[in-house]
Amino acid sequence: MNESLLKELSEAAGIPSREEALRSIVRRELASVVDSMEVDDMGNLIAFKKGRGQKKLMIAAHMDEIGFIVKHIDARGFMSLQPLGGFDPRQLFAQRLHVHGYAGERLPGVMTYNTKPAHLLTPEEARQSPTIEKFFVDVGMSAEELGEKVRIGDMVTLDRNAERCGDNFIGKCLDNRVGVFVMIEAMKALGEHELDIYAVATTQEEIGLRGATTAAYAVNPDIGIALDTTLCCDYPGSADADAVTRLGDGVGIKIMDSSMVSHPKLVNLCRDLSERDDIPYQMEVLPRGGTDGGAIQRAREGNVSITLSVPTRYIHTVNEMISISDAEAAIQLLTTLLQESHSADFSLE
Ligand SMILES: [Zn+2]
């Protein structure tokens, strides 16, 4: 597996609406394997690979990561943040981050919780859950110095390097850089195919499937496949029935999440192809959380859609963990679908 590409994708910065660094990686990787590429006004990168011109398949992999923008800079140079995407404030203690100044400078800083020292807290105060509003950012500069580098609305991302960890891989925002990775690698592995394929690196998924919504309208596919991460709560403290997926057990074939119920015949096709080719897979039922698959399914008059998932432990923290073999299984199943789903019958009686 091309771990250096996955590492590069994980370490790149791109909050919703600021996916430009990711777009340029995807563009570079797909340039030699597709027929054309365009960027729409939402920032979606739509790469097209021609087939026989009879049916269209759209892949959606979101590029954006949960992050922040600068909301306020106080007189002493401390900044407060507006989150873009679903952070759990309990996971944000003692983080390092980057403030991406408007002139392109990456300023390292720390994120700290604005509270009294522990020995001054009342028992009542000590019990309160943390809130995003009470975190502030310190990049070690005065307000005056900052004024030349940072403006309200500039991007802030958490800082963490990606690395191999046993048979697994850890890093920030593997949700959904591993999905982008799977899309790139499947497009590179693609052999003979009849479907016209639109590989779309989407934007703004983390704040409501926004890029995929407009891209699916534009592409108007016959088949939609979203690639994303899913919960993998197979660790201490989580009941067996609530694990959703297990790390290393294979690609997740999504039956449902809160944005969609996957097309039943496409679910069966994924299962049958996995069985036939010995691709490790697991069936996924996710009670909460949505994916771009939901946006594709409900575009225009509705589309045959599913999401393929890479199980991810510690999701929406800076230490998301995926299994290398699960990512490989996702690449294999997606490649097979691209090559073979043109002849499948998805009609419902
Ligand atoms: Zn995601």
Side-chain angles (χ1 to χ4, degrees), residues 109-337:
V110 297
M111 184 166 183
T112 297
Y113 197 59
N114 172 13
T115 183
K116 296 180 207 168
H119 55 282
L120 297 179
L121 289 174
T122 64
E124 167 81 2
E125 287 168 331
R127 274 196 301 273
Q128 281 169 2
S129 311
T131 58
I132 296 265
E133 292 70 32
K134 291 188 80 174
F135 286 92
F136 66 89
V137 171
D138 183 355
V139 296
M141 289 182 192
S142 69
E144 198 180 21
E145 232 181 315
L146 264 180
E148 291 160 21
K149 299 171 188 288
V150 177
R151 289 190 288 225
I152 304 301
D154 282 349
M155 170 165 71
V156 178
T157 57
L158 296 175
D159 171 29
R160 194 58 60 103
N161 63 326
E163 62 189 338
R164 182 75 179 247
C165 170
D167 293 331
N168 304 330
F169 198 82
I170 45 174
K172 77 171 182 64
C173 59
L174 290 174
D175 172 14
N176 182 36
R177 303 299 162 66
V178 69
V180 174
F181 175 77
V182 167
M183 179 171 79
I184 290 170
E185 295 299 293
M187 291 302 288
K188 288 179 181 171
L190 185 62
E192 282 288 305
H193 64 101
E194 295 198 12
L195 289 161
D196 281 351
I197 297 167
Y198 295 79
V200 185
T202 64
T203 57
Q204 302 192 33
E205 189 271 352
E206 295 287 0
I207 50 174
L209 323 180
R210 296 180 190 178
T213 299
T214 62
Y217 185 92
V219 171
N220 192 20
D222 297 285
I223 303 167
I225 300 174
L227 303 170
D228 213 323
T229 52
T230 193
L231 290 184
C232 178
C233 308
D234 60 345
Y235 42 66
S238 173
D240 228 23
D242 298 331
V244 183
T245 57
R246 285 172 182 78
L247 210 68
D249 277 6
V251 53
I253 298 174
K254 190 185 289 287
I255 295 171
M256 63 156 285
D257 60 26
S258 58
S259 70
M260 75 185 303
V261 181
S262 301
H263 192 284
K265 287 195 168 176
L266 188 48
V267 170
N268 285 340
L269 178 67
C270 290
R271 189 183 353 221
D272 292 347
L273 291 172
S274 301
E275 287 283 343
R276 187 196 70 187
D277 294 350
D278 286 327
I279 301 169
Y281 73 96
Q282 46 192 319
M283 305 311 293
E284 178 207 344
V285 175
L286 181 67
R288 277 179 60 205
T291 58
D292 280 347
I296 301 174
Q297 185 178 55
R298 282 181 277 172
R300 296 193 184 230
E301 301 94 343
N303 300 297
V304 171
S305 300
I306 197 168
T307 297
L308 300 182
S309 304
V310 178
T312 304
R313 283 184 188 155
Y314 325 124
I315 212 159
H316 285 192
T317 76
V318 288
N319 296 310
E320 293 177 331
M321 180 186 288
I322 58 124
S323 141
I324 304 269
S325 65
D326 291 344
E328 284 170 342
I331 294 164
Q332 207 187 338
L333 178 55
L334 177 61
T335 308
T336 306
L337 282 166

Side-chain angles (χ1 to χ4, degrees), residues 21-37:
L22 281 305
R23 264 196 303 278
S24 79
I25 298 172
V26 178
R27 193 185 280 117
R28 181 194 74 207
E29 293 295 318
L30 290 184
S32 60
V33 298
V34 299
D35 296 311
S36 62
M37 279 188 271

